[in-house]
Amino acid sequence: MQWRTLAAVAALLAHDAVFAQQMLRFSCSRLTIERLDPLVSPGMQQSPHMHQVGGGNSFRATMAPGDFDPVAESTCTSCTFAEDFSNYWTANLFFKARNGTLKRVPQLVNMGLQADGGLTVYYIPPYDGKSNVTAFKPGFRMLVGDPILRSGETQQRQLCHRCFSTINQVPFGGAPCTGDDTATLPPTMCNGGIRTTITFPTCWDGANVDSPDHKSHVAYPESGSFESGGPCPASHPVKLPQLMYEVIWDTRMFNDPELWPEDGSQPFVYSMGDGSGYGQHGDYLFGWKDDALQRALDARCSNDRCAELKSQTSDEAMKCTLNQTVPEKYDGWLAQLPGNWTITYADK
């Protein structure tokens, strides 16, 4: 467990004060790391690129809406709340050394939490402190971001990176995707690691739990933002909680100028061959038991403790893991990215 200075804790409390009693914030430890994607590549025993996955241990290549129930199929979850068998997954980050070899970047646990890698998950009700949202329904899933993007022109909202100068996240830097945060991967060495923030749309059409592109059944507010209470468009009238992921990549071991490219360009790449950062994306497949999520949202539970929900210890969550469907090496120095991706950079 990381030791934090009083200043770091103060910064965290200042950050959380914005969301006081208005968010679930909890860890989902690493369930598996493999090339598997039941949304974009259903039925494929190896999807094109590698992901890190958290949540229920029923994660597999085929999880069709209406036919597959993560609650019934899972026997454990890598998340803090024992009633959450959802799956949350993102691309992995790799470091490309000057000699061309690649190494997976491990993850740091977020402030105030305990986990084995994985990601931090947020479910945030409206910021006004009084209005409610509708929890996701059984079978619901969605995707945000586009792995083939190499420019910011069509990038969805609130996908960003933050370069921390210290391991204690001091200075913190304000709300996600503000200040010095960038859509691209940071161009300089980050002494405290790189945080990826992935925020999903908050308006639903009220009828479809999925769509062919896994995006069209959800939308953003027609004006303003979720944070400002902006209204949902008529086509997507149902307001959802704001789902957000944070992943903190521990880049400290790679902060050696002798390893970086001779021209000083940033050396990190996502597992789909993205050396720009514009292609970062997140996948979500709902799997909360019964009405547990709705109860927690209505009660405006705070952080990783909620009287409405059954919790488990961090040790219990970390024991929930899956073996790879198709064994494949992803740690140590590699000659190529898993899936043999060609690395591409920002469009000129």
Side-chain angles (χ1 to χ4, degrees):
M1 182 178 180
Q2 301 168 21
W3 291 97
R4 295 175 292 275
T5 64
L6 290 175
V9 175
L12 176 65
L13 293 175
H15 165 57
D16 285 352
V18 177
F19 305 111
Q21 303 300 316
Q22 293 189 354
M23 68 170 181
L24 290 172
R25 175 185 180 268
F26 58 93
S27 282
C28 289
S29 286
R30 179 177 66 186
L31 178 72
T32 185
I33 293 177
E34 62 178 310
R35 285 198 287 135
L36 206 61
D37 192 336
L39 261 66
V40 178
S41 306
M44 291 181 60
Q45 294 303 300
Q46 278 195 309
S47 62
H49 66 267
M50 186 157 276
H51 299 95
Q52 55 137 358
V53 187
N57 69 339
S58 62
F59 187 77
R60 61 192 67 171
T62 301
M63 302 175 74
D67 298 328
F68 191 89
D69 181 2
V71 176
E73 297 291 337
S74 298
T75 59
C76 69
T77 176
S78 70
C79 300
T80 300
F81 294 113
E83 296 166 284
D84 182 13
F85 301 99
S86 307
N87 285 119
Y88 312 89
W89 65 102
T90 74
N92 294 95
L93 190 68
F94 287 79
F95 173 81
K96 184 180 178 182
R98 183 180 297 184
N99 66 6
T101 59
L102 298 118
K103 192 171 187 178
R104 184 179 69 89
V105 180
Q107 288 118 269
L108 285 166
V109 180
N110 215 334
M111 296 284 286
L113 302 173
Q114 287 183 287
D116 175 15
L119 63 166
T120 307
V121 177
Y122 292 74
Y123 288 89
I124 308 173
Y127 285 62
D128 62 11
K130 57 186 179 181
S131 57
N132 293 324
V133 288
T134 299
F136 307 102
K137 300 303 180 184
F140 188 93
R141 65 276 316 278
M142 60 180 167
L143 164 69
V144 67
D146 184 343
I148 68 171
L149 277 187
R150 298 297 181 267
S151 75
E153 292 181 9
T154 59
Q155 191 180 41
Q156 290 176 270
R157 305 182 194 179
Q158 294 175 297
L159 303 173
C160 63
H161 302 86
R162 177 168 297 181
C163 180
F164 282 120
S165 58
T166 68
I167 195 64
N168 298 315
Q169 301 182 13
V170 177
F172 185 74
C177 303
T178 63
D180 294 331
D181 291 1
T182 57
T184 57
L185 286 158
T188 59
M189 293 183 186
C190 301
N191 293 327
I194 297 171
R195 188 186 73 189
T196 295
T197 299
I198 298 171
T199 312
F200 289 79
T202 54
C203 299
W204 177 42
D205 66 13
N208 300 293
V209 295
D210 196 10
S211 50
D213 62 358
H214 314 296
K215 295 180 178 182
S216 299
H217 59 306
V218 291
Y220 295 97
E222 64 178 356
S223 62
S225 65
F226 180 86
E227 292 85 348
S228 67
C232 286
S235 59
H236 295 74
V238 181
K239 183 171 285 190
L240 300 167
Q242 187 175 60
L243 176 65
M244 185 174 78
Y245 302 164
E246 287 181 344
V247 183
I248 302 179
W249 307 105
D250 189 0
T251 58
R252 293 174 297 168
M253 71 179 72
F254 305 109
N255 287 347
D256 179 354
E258 296 300 315
L259 291 175
W260 278 49
E262 291 186 37
D263 64 1
S265 58
Q266 81 82 24
F268 295 99
V269 300
Y270 279 112
S271 52
M272 61 284 189
D274 175 20
S276 70
Y278 287 121
Q280 67 159 321
H281 57 287
D283 300 72
Y284 174 63
L285 194 150
F286 173 82
W288 285 80
K289 185 177 181 180
D290 301 328
D291 65 344
L293 180 59
Q294 188 68 63
R295 296 197 318 269
L297 290 166
D298 291 347
R300 281 183 154 73
C301 289
S302 180
N303 293 306
D304 60 345
R305 294 291 180 264
C306 179
E308 295 290 332
L309 299 175
K310 180 182 177 182
S311 297
Q312 62 180 349
T313 66
S314 298
D315 286 341
E316 289 173 321
M318 288 187 282
K319 289 177 182 176
C320 186
T321 60
L322 279 177
N323 293 326
Q324 290 181 318
T325 305
V326 178
E328 183 175 29
K329 183 179 178 180
Y330 57 81
D331 276 337
W333 289 101
L334 306 174
Q336 292 180 302
L337 289 172
N340 298 329
W341 283 84
T342 298
I343 298 171
T344 56
Y345 295 87
D347 296 339
K348 300 296 184 180

